[in-house]
Amino acid sequence: MFRKSIKQKIIGIAAGLIVLTVITSALSMVLAGRVGHLLGELTNRYIPAYGHLARVNIRSLERSLTMRRMMGMRITQTTPDAAAYAAQLKKFRELDAAIDQEAAEARRLINAIIDDPSTPSDNAALGRLDDRIETTMTDLRHRLNEQSDRVLEQVEANNFPEAARLMADVDGLRDEFNTRIDGIRADMLRQVEASAATVAHEQHQTIAISAVVTAIACVLGFVFAMLVGSGITGPVMRLLQGTREVEAGRLDQSISITTRDEIGQLSAAFNRMVERLRQNQRIRETFGRYIDPRIAEGLLDQPALAAADGQRRIMTVLFCDMKGFTTLSEGVTPQGLVKIMNRYLSTMSEPINAHRGVIDKYVGDAIMAYWGPPFIDEAEQADAACLAALDMVGRVEGLRKELPELLGVRAIPASCDIRIGIATGEALVGSIGSAFMMSYTVMGGTVNLASRLESANKVYGSRCLISEASASAAAAVIDVREIDRVIVVGQTQAQTVFEIMAAKGALSPAQLRLRELYAEGLAAYRARQWDAALAAFTAALQAMPGDGPSLALIARIEGLKQAPPADDWDGAWRLERK
């Protein structure tokens, strides 16, 4: 079946609209020409005819005034000025001819209106006006001229009494003449007004017809465009809707193909693209379940992340381990252990994700995570890691209550708790591995320190130990206490270790007292004042019974009292196990 191309459809729409526009314009021009023709008759015939009649009145008055001047010159002057009198007489004759000319021109224009069949006019009324002008000019005008000539004869004969008597008759005839002309002018003015009303009516009718025709053309153009353009807009709208669905992440629908033009081909290509996106989405979802989704997205969208060249950056690393996992694993079935591990890892991973951390890996019950560029600003990484650790510690109690319910037992074989270590420092970041398998991870001394601090919790009976760099960087969001100076396995330099106690400003009075007494005990311990240190740590236990670091330092001091350290001892404690 033949299908028009988009180009042909667009040309068809344009051609149809052009035809409608030409028809509308032509009709508007015809109507406008009609109005122009009527307006031309009004301005070129009606109004000038009225003007000629008005000037007949004016010339008649001027003629009467000239005759009076001539009489005055004869009566008042002893020796009349013949030249002046002749000039006035000449003017009198010229005004007489002007009156005839104005009347004749008025009649010519009135007859032109009557003879023009292309314009509407009251030909009967105009004919009567023409007859009245002719009668006035041939009868009354003739008598007025004869009487005027008699007056002039008596004036020239210096018979002024008789001239005055005759002048009274002239004035009467002139008044009658002007009265008739005024009546003719009034009737002509009504014809002018009627013509102006006709022009206005035709103009309004033209506007109305043009508006109706334009509206019809618009409707027809719209219908025509809709009929022709539906083959374009329908598929385009479906394609647009499909694009919005893809933009919103919904890839479960395809676009129906109803045309074979370019849009139909584009729709088919779009469906193929959506199918590819579905496959990529499944890959991303599967990939994202095994590594952090941000890394998965980065590796797919930013090939530079997958480059083998690593970068050295300041990173914050967190290690978390489940206390008593070995004992717990011996007391439950494999299926139950999987449930416990999944619940534990989910519970502890949520705070890491919530605080923008990247979970690097799960190793048994251990969690390794890190913070740093490009996933979080360097200035925020230590804050986020320490707040995540506080959140993780806060979820332990809820986890203890969930595990027995998860296994369907009253109690689990071992108590559930966690140990966390956090360190901030330089680390190697990048894709590390072999030709067969790669991992985007962090490596270096900072990672080793975080792992050792997590293990050091066993020594100090604590939950969350952090490095000095982490404590300094996160000082605005957490309250800490210094625990000890240690040399971890694999390092030779002593590290000052801190414990996260609470969020900034959230320490209880007992915790504040504990921190103060512990600091006193630690200072006495480093000064080898064993008794003072024991007294301070004992007081710390009274402020916070069961405090692990205080118990650990008391036990250590008892041993040091039996076997004092060497003279060059600097207070640092070497951790002998990982």
Side-chain angles (χ1 to χ4, degrees):
M1 180 178 178
F2 176 73
R3 295 279 183 175
K4 291 184 178 180
S5 67
I6 296 177
K7 180 179 179 181
Q8 291 173 321
K9 293 178 181 178
I10 294 175
I11 292 175
I13 294 174
L17 293 177
I18 289 172
V19 170
L20 290 174
T21 302
V22 170
I23 293 173
T24 304
S25 299
L27 183 58
S28 298
M29 291 174 64
V30 170
L31 295 174
R34 169 71 174 171
V35 172
H37 182 60
L38 293 175
L39 186 61
E41 183 180 62
L42 174 64
T43 57
N44 297 325
R45 291 175 180 173
Y46 277 95
I47 294 176
Y50 177 82
H52 287 303
L53 292 174
R55 284 190 288 275
V56 167
N57 265 12
I58 296 172
R59 300 289 183 266
S60 177
L61 293 173
E62 288 178 349
R63 181 175 176 275
S64 176
L65 181 61
T66 302
M67 188 166 62
R68 287 184 178 278
R69 286 176 181 170
M70 292 167 64
M71 288 180 63
M73 292 173 65
R74 288 286 187 175
I75 294 172
T76 58
Q77 294 178 3
T78 306
T79 304
D81 187 347
Y85 183 82
Q88 290 296 320
L89 181 60
K90 179 182 179 181
K91 181 179 180 181
F92 178 82
R93 300 303 180 191
E94 289 175 350
L95 287 171
D96 191 49
I99 291 173
D100 292 337
Q101 184 178 358
E102 295 288 353
E105 189 64 23
R107 291 187 64 196
R108 184 188 68 79
L109 292 173
I110 290 173
N111 285 308
I113 297 172
I114 295 172
D115 295 338
D116 188 354
S118 64
T119 57
S121 60
D122 190 351
N123 291 338
L126 291 171
R128 288 191 295 271
L129 283 175
D130 181 56
D131 292 341
R132 289 167 62 188
I133 295 172
E134 182 181 10
T135 301
T136 301
M137 295 301 296
T138 57
D139 181 15
L140 184 59
R141 171 79 174 147
H142 179 69
R143 287 190 287 126
L144 178 60
N145 287 341
E146 287 181 348
Q147 195 69 11
S148 297
D149 290 340
R150 293 192 188 101
V151 171
L152 291 177
E153 289 176 359
Q154 297 299 322
V155 169
E156 290 176 357
N158 295 324
N159 188 2
F160 299 115
E162 181 63 20
R165 186 185 66 80
L166 293 174
M167 190 64 186
D169 294 336
V170 170
D171 290 339
L173 290 173
R174 187 197 67 240
D175 291 342
E176 184 181 354
F177 176 80
N178 288 337
T179 300
R180 288 188 183 184
I181 293 298
D182 286 340
I184 294 171
R185 282 175 52 200
D187 291 341
M188 189 63 200
L189 180 60
R190 281 191 287 273
Q191 293 299 316
V192 172
E193 291 173 347
S195 178
T198 300
V199 172
H201 174 73
E202 290 288 338
Q203 185 178 26
H204 293 157
Q205 189 176 33
T206 298
I207 294 173
I209 293 174
S210 298
V212 171
V213 172
T214 302
I216 293 173
C218 290
V219 172
L220 292 177
F222 179 76
V223 172
F224 182 66
M226 287 295 295
L227 292 175
V228 178
S230 60
I232 299 175
T233 57
V236 168
M237 291 304 297
R238 287 193 293 272
L239 185 61
L240 178 60
Q241 183 61 33
T243 303
R244 289 173 176 169
E245 293 290 326
V246 172
E247 184 181 15
R250 294 185 287 270
L251 306 175
D252 54 341
Q253 294 182 356
S254 299
I255 299 176
S256 59
I257 301 174
T258 58
T259 63
R260 297 182 182 178
D261 54 19
E262 295 86 345
I263 296 180
Q265 298 172 15
L266 181 61
S267 299
F270 180 85
N271 287 337
R272 292 193 295 270
M273 180 195 71
V274 171
E275 181 58 33
R276 289 289 185 90
L277 289 175
R278 289 195 195 109
Q279 296 176 2
N280 290 340
Q281 184 67 22
R282 286 193 290 269
I283 293 173
R284 287 172 183 264
E285 290 175 354
T286 303
F287 197 21
R289 294 181 63 185
Y290 288 89
I291 64 174
D292 187 277
R294 285 172 293 175
I295 296 179
E297 292 288 339
L299 293 175
L300 291 172
D301 299 335
Q302 304 177 38
L305 289 178
D309 296 336
Q311 295 180 334
R312 289 200 169 273
R313 294 174 176 166
I314 300 299
M315 306 291 287
T316 297
V317 184
L318 177 147
F319 276 86
C320 177
D321 197 10
M322 187 175 185
K323 179 181 178 182
F325 174 72
T326 302
T327 304
L328 179 63
S329 62
E330 294 174 352
V332 298
T333 64
Q335 294 81 4
L337 185 60
V338 170
K339 291 182 180 180
I340 291 174
M341 287 305 303
N342 287 341
R343 175 63 68 184
Y344 158 73
L345 293 174
S346 297
T347 301
M348 295 302 147
S349 297
E350 287 176 2
I352 296 174
N353 285 327
H355 290 85
R356 297 176 291 169
V358 177
I359 297 176
D360 184 80
K361 62 175 68 73
Y362 298 126
V363 182
D365 62 323
I367 302 173
M368 176 184 169
Y370 58 85
W371 285 258
F375 308 107
I376 187 173
D377 291 341
E378 183 177 319
E380 301 178 80
Q381 57 179 291
D383 293 354
C386 292
L387 291 175
L390 278 174
D391 196 356
M392 294 165 72
V393 171
R395 298 188 181 210
V396 170
E397 191 61 34
L399 183 63
R400 288 173 179 168
K401 295 177 181 179
E402 289 181 13
L403 293 183
E405 297 176 3
L406 189 66
L407 297 174
V409 297
R410 292 186 176 181
I412 56 177
S415 176
C416 173
D417 208 339
I418 61 172
R419 293 188 294 264
I420 298 174
I422 299 175
T424 300
E426 189 178 79
L428 177 65
V429 185
S431 296
I432 299 171
S434 66
F436 302 98
M437 181 175 179
M438 301 291 288
S439 175
Y440 190 86
T441 186
V442 293
M443 299 179 63
T446 300
V447 179
N448 180 65
L449 177 58
S451 176
R452 299 296 181 263
L453 292 179
E454 181 273 316
S455 298
N457 285 290
K458 302 175 185 178
V459 176
Y460 293 98
S462 54
R463 280 179 167 173
C464 185
L465 294 180
I466 66 175
S467 69
E468 184 176 10
S470 298
S472 177
V477 298
I478 58 171
D479 277 317
V480 299
R481 63 166 168 166
E482 183 180 350
I483 297 298
D484 201 358
R485 295 182 70 249
V486 299
I487 302 174
V488 300
V489 177
Q491 294 186 4
T492 58
Q493 297 294 323
Q495 301 281 345
T496 302
V497 178
F498 295 81
E499 180 190 30
I500 299 178
M501 300 184 72
K504 192 70 175 180
L507 289 177
S508 65
Q511 287 177 311
L512 290 171
R513 179 63 175 162
L514 170 65
R515 184 168 65 176
E516 179 183 354
L517 293 171
Y518 190 89
E520 292 177 3
L522 193 60
Y525 161 75
R526 289 172 177 168
R528 303 192 186 197
Q529 298 173 3
W530 311 124
D531 292 335
L534 285 173
F537 288 132
T538 302
L541 285 174
Q542 292 175 355
M544 186 69 67
D547 178 56
S550 297
L551 291 172
L553 266 295
I554 288 174
R556 184 187 299 175
I557 291 171
E558 294 293 347
L560 290 174
K561 289 176 67 176
Q562 301 296 325
D567 293 339
D568 59 351
W569 181 68
D570 59 359
W573 190 257
R574 181 177 294 277
L575 298 178
E576 301 296 338
R577 57 179 180 176
K578 296 182 180 180

